[in-house]
Amino acid sequence: MDLYTLSVRQASDLLQTGEITSVALTSAILERIHAVEPTVRAHITVSEDLALQQAEAADVRRRAGEQVTPLTGIPYAVKDCLSTKGVRTTCASKILEDYVPRYNAAVIDRLADAGAVLVGKHNMDEFGMGSSCENSAFFATHNPWDVTRVPGGSSGGSAAAVAAEMTPFALGEDTGGSIRMPAGFCGVTGVKPTYGRVSRYGLIALVSSFDTIGPLTRDVADAALVMQTIAGHDPRDSTSLRAPVPDYDQTFTRDLKGVTVGVPVEYFAEGIDPAVEAPVREALAVLRDLGAEVREVSLPHTHYAIPVYYLILFAEASSNLARFDGVRFGLSSDGADVLERYLHTRHAGFGDEVKRRIMLGTFALSAGYYDAYYLRAQKVRALLRQDFDRAFAEVDALVAPVCPTPAFKLGEKVADPLTMYLSDVHVVAINPAGVPSLALPCGFTGDVPPLPVGMQLIGRPLDEATLFRIGHAYQQATTWHLARPSVMR
Amino acid sequence: MSQRIDTNLVKHIAFLTRLSLTEEETALFSEQFSAIIDYFDMLGEVDVAAVAPFTQPQITRAELREDVARPSMEREDFLANVPQRKGNSVRVSVVLENLAAGGDSSSAD
């Protein structure tokens, strides 16, 4: 048995019965990373020594009869925007190339307490700014299903690593589709939780009012298990919600009787590739067969989601990235005076897309433009949220494609930022509204090689449980989540 | 294509954001920013006269922590990532010239 192929729950069961050790499992994962990394390029850092130490500690904890959790001894890796004590954290930016945090993000602390084993840090678009993982300052990640294509972004390294079986699970970060889009392109399961459900403490901020941290996994059952560990209130994040976290396993059902699912007509409108629409429509038929009632709904302001999302993103990002001044941490260039030092540091440290967004944010916030752009975007944002609230008065969840197309070719959209932004049309409305969404695979295109197609389930605020229930029942009735790319097998 | 954001405006924004751009970057960004802002002008179609801005998507009110004194970050932890330090201080460029009169004119501690 190749241990690297195990899901979180499969590995957890074998660790529990003593059939495998965490050191054996972690070693298998590290070997798999070494074998596949030259092809997929998912990792910025592999923390091999630390991983083996943590695996040994997990085995000792288990042998000593100490309390263990389902994640004790399970390897994982995270997007490189999450602070990891003693492990380089770059945000895929030259400005943080040598930055080694002195503290852990809250989610890393929670996983460490649970006994999980950190094996590395995943590639991403610089500071999360991108939809293809090509904006990394270091290298592009390749889609394991077709290495000439992008894995999606910005958590592209995390999705590619889960798909290529380089980790049983990963943590990504979703500001406007950055977990769901790569999950869709790479054929894995990804969760964008309700805003405030998971602590952002120790996350290097992109858009403080959109950012969410969530798992990428092989299936919904594993995603729920990881969420069970990382969700919940944290006093170190003032936007963290005090709401109780339900026992997600208890909400799983075989059928979906009593569940009403909405199909937002705007998400199936112009521009959707028939190769994407067909599998999502088939998935709706599966949900109906499982007992769900399916009905059309309207989210009339969807058309405005892209400008709302990007204008607020530009504005908040320009403010958040002002901290990179070369004084307290990160890259620091010389200059004759304080101004020149800032200019040199930020010129050398930031990539083109980061510069574009910082500048457009400052434009949208500046006198004379603030009302027309930033303030107006925040008002239309209220209408986006109102669309969801009205839909959720009628239905329990919404079903939509993750992206209008399957994974595109590397290099295809890099020259035109606006075209790249438009590829986010189905994922961006969710973050300004703050609602949760679960992306999961629902079929393949007819391309050679075939490319995964993803759908997303969108839910009421704090109702991840209903999304897990629907997604889990769907995966019990289908096998799309079990398909693996042929890379290095 | 319109040039709503001309090269002079790009240069002004670059200065405000403490970014230095080459002439080529300035010209390219002017073109790209104009295309993006033209597209985003669609927001002007929406009637927002009666709509309040929605700035935080929290569904419950953020609670403030009790005001209790706690240890802050250890000094060595803070200083570990400082690019230029001198002893227990962060070395920074001079901001107000006259305060540095008679001393090192390019940096202060």
Side-chain angles (χ1 to χ4, degrees):
Chain A
M1 177 177 52
D2 288 321
L3 296 184
Y4 65 78
T5 64
L6 297 171
S7 72
V8 175
R9 287 186 193 242
Q10 286 169 335
S12 189
D13 288 347
L14 293 177
L15 286 165
Q16 192 60 39
T17 59
E19 283 171 73
I20 62 171
T21 64
S22 177
V23 168
L25 176 62
T26 303
S27 300
I29 286 292
L30 291 168
E31 279 171 36
R32 175 70 179 167
I33 290 172
H34 289 309
V36 181
E37 185 63 20
T39 310
V40 175
R41 309 215 67 189
H43 294 81
I44 291 175
T45 302
V46 179
S47 46
E48 188 151 356
D49 294 343
L50 179 70
L52 289 169
Q53 282 169 25
Q54 291 184 347
E56 177 64 33
D59 286 337
V60 167
R61 176 170 166 177
R62 196 180 295 277
R63 274 200 301 272
E66 290 172 34
Q67 195 193 2
V68 294
T69 78
L71 297 181
T72 303
I74 304 288
Y76 76 104
V78 300
K79 186 177 185 177
D80 210 15
C81 56
L82 289 167
S83 300
T84 44
K85 186 175 181 177
V87 179
R88 190 168 71 118
T89 299
T90 69
C91 262
S93 179
K94 284 185 184 159
I95 213 157
L96 287 175
E97 189 165 4
D98 300 314
Y99 174 66
V100 179
R102 303 287 281 201
Y103 63 99
N104 278 330
V107 288
I108 303 292
D109 272 342
R110 286 202 181 204
L111 288 171
D113 290 346
V117 174
L118 180 73
V119 299
K121 308 296 294 288
H122 288 143
N123 197 25
M124 55 187 284
D125 289 291
E126 186 177 358
F127 286 104
M129 297 186 187
S131 312
S132 68
C133 218
E134 293 167 292
N135 286 341
S136 166
F138 308 128
F139 48 84
T141 297
H142 298 233
N143 191 314
W145 292 91
D146 177 349
V147 294
T148 68
R149 291 177 188 270
V150 303
S154 61
S155 310
S158 302
V162 173
E165 300 178 307
M166 299 156 93
T167 183
F169 79 93
L171 291 186
E173 177 277 330
D174 191 312
T175 300
S178 282
I179 288 174
R180 292 161 288 145
M181 190 203 196
F185 279 6
C186 292
V188 302
T189 298
V191 182
K192 183 265 167 210
T194 307
Y195 179 78
R197 183 55 121 174
V198 176
S199 171
R200 291 183 293 113
Y201 176 81
L203 167 71
I204 299 176
L206 172 55
V207 182
S208 302
S209 76
F210 293 170
D211 294 346
T212 51
I213 299 165
L216 293 114
T217 55
R218 310 268 170 79
D219 60 32
V220 174
D222 278 0
L225 187 61
V226 177
M227 275 294 289
Q228 200 76 57
T229 301
I230 63 171
H233 181 253
D234 174 18
R236 295 176 296 181
D237 171 1
S238 68
T239 61
S240 167
L241 300 171
R242 282 194 184 273
V245 180
D247 182 342
Y248 295 125
D249 278 15
Q250 295 297 316
T251 65
F252 291 164
T253 53
R254 279 264 157 201
D255 64 50
L256 294 175
K257 291 194 181 78
V259 174
T260 306
V261 167
V263 182
V265 290
E266 292 80 5
Y267 283 69
F268 291 83
E270 61 193 296
I272 182 169
D273 185 333
V276 168
E277 181 169 3
V280 180
R281 295 268 182 208
E282 282 165 32
L284 287 166
V286 173
L287 299 181
R288 205 179 276 116
D289 289 346
L290 287 166
E293 186 191 330
V294 178
R295 71 165 79 142
E296 282 194 347
V297 296
S298 176
L299 301 171
H301 295 91
T302 299
H303 179 56
Y304 304 105
I306 292 256
V308 167
Y309 168 74
Y310 275 100
L311 281 166
I312 297 168
L313 179 152
F314 295 155
E316 289 196 33
S318 72
S319 168
N320 272 328
L321 270 63
R323 71 186 55 154
F324 295 99
D325 55 10
V327 174
R328 292 154 299 158
F329 42 72
L331 182 76
S332 184
S333 302
D334 286 337
D337 56 23
V338 65
L339 175 63
E340 203 171 79
R341 213 172 136 182
Y342 289 155
L343 290 171
H344 290 176
T345 296
R346 290 161 69 83
H347 181 76
F350 289 140
D352 280 353
E353 184 60 25
V354 177
K355 289 177 188 161
R356 264 193 290 276
R357 294 192 187 193
I358 290 172
M359 292 178 65
L360 282 165
T362 299
F363 168 77
L365 289 172
S366 58
Y369 301 103
Y370 177 91
D371 286 357
Y373 294 105
Y374 179 74
L375 185 61
R376 181 167 279 267
Q378 292 287 22
K379 289 179 174 178
V380 182
R381 177 186 192 177
L383 299 173
L384 286 175
R385 172 60 181 257
Q386 192 182 81
D387 283 357
F388 283 106
D389 288 343
R390 285 179 179 162
F392 289 130
E394 288 180 50
V395 300
D396 300 306
L398 302 167
V399 175
V402 173
C403 285
T405 67
F408 44 87
K409 292 273 186 186
L410 284 154
E412 187 178 324
K413 299 189 182 189
V414 284
D416 184 354
L418 183 57
T419 308
M420 188 74 93
Y421 298 169
L422 298 181
S423 64
D424 296 341
V425 62
H426 289 156
V427 284
V428 294
I430 280 74
N431 299 67
V435 295
S437 175
L438 167 68
L440 65 168
C442 65
F444 287 88
T445 66
D447 295 271
V448 182
L451 301 171
V453 175
M455 67 169 169
Q456 57 177 335
L457 305 171
I458 305 161
R460 295 188 180 102
L462 285 176
D463 194 15
E464 288 86 0
T466 294
L467 304 184
F468 294 152
R469 180 188 169 195
I470 298 170
H472 183 67
Y474 175 78
Q475 289 186 335
Q476 296 304 295
T478 57
T479 57
W480 304 115
H481 62 291
L482 300 175
R484 297 282 177 268
S486 58
V487 62
M488 302 300 290
R489 285 192 81 168
Chain B
M1 188 188 296
S2 74
Q3 288 294 317
R4 293 270 306 281
I5 304 192
D6 63 24
T7 51
N8 285 331
L9 184 51
V10 171
K11 284 176 185 165
H12 175 63
I13 303 168
F15 174 74
L16 292 178
T17 54
R18 302 297 185 259
L19 290 168
S20 60
L21 300 181
T22 63
E23 285 301 318
E24 291 76 25
E25 285 173 326
T26 305
L28 179 67
F29 283 1
S30 163
E31 197 176 298
Q32 290 175 336
F33 290 0
S34 297
I36 291 165
I37 293 300
D38 278 352
Y39 182 83
F40 287 4
D41 274 338
M42 72 163 78
L43 286 185
E45 301 163 9
V46 187
D47 179 5
V48 292
V51 182
F54 180 79
T55 51
Q56 279 284 329
Q58 279 147 275
I59 50 176
T60 57
R61 206 168 57 84
E63 291 178 51
L64 299 178
R65 279 198 301 255
E66 289 292 312
D67 187 14
V68 178
R70 294 174 307 157
S72 53
M73 189 182 232
E74 292 291 330
R75 185 158 59 193
E76 266 316 303
D77 283 338
F78 176 81
L79 288 169
N81 276 294
V82 168
Q84 292 186 54
R85 65 183 280 188
K86 186 175 178 185
N88 286 327
S89 302
V90 180
R91 201 173 168 85
V92 299
S93 297
V94 167
V95 177
L96 299 171
E97 288 291 346
N98 58 343
L99 293 182
D104 180 345
S105 66
S106 66
S107 63
D109 302 323

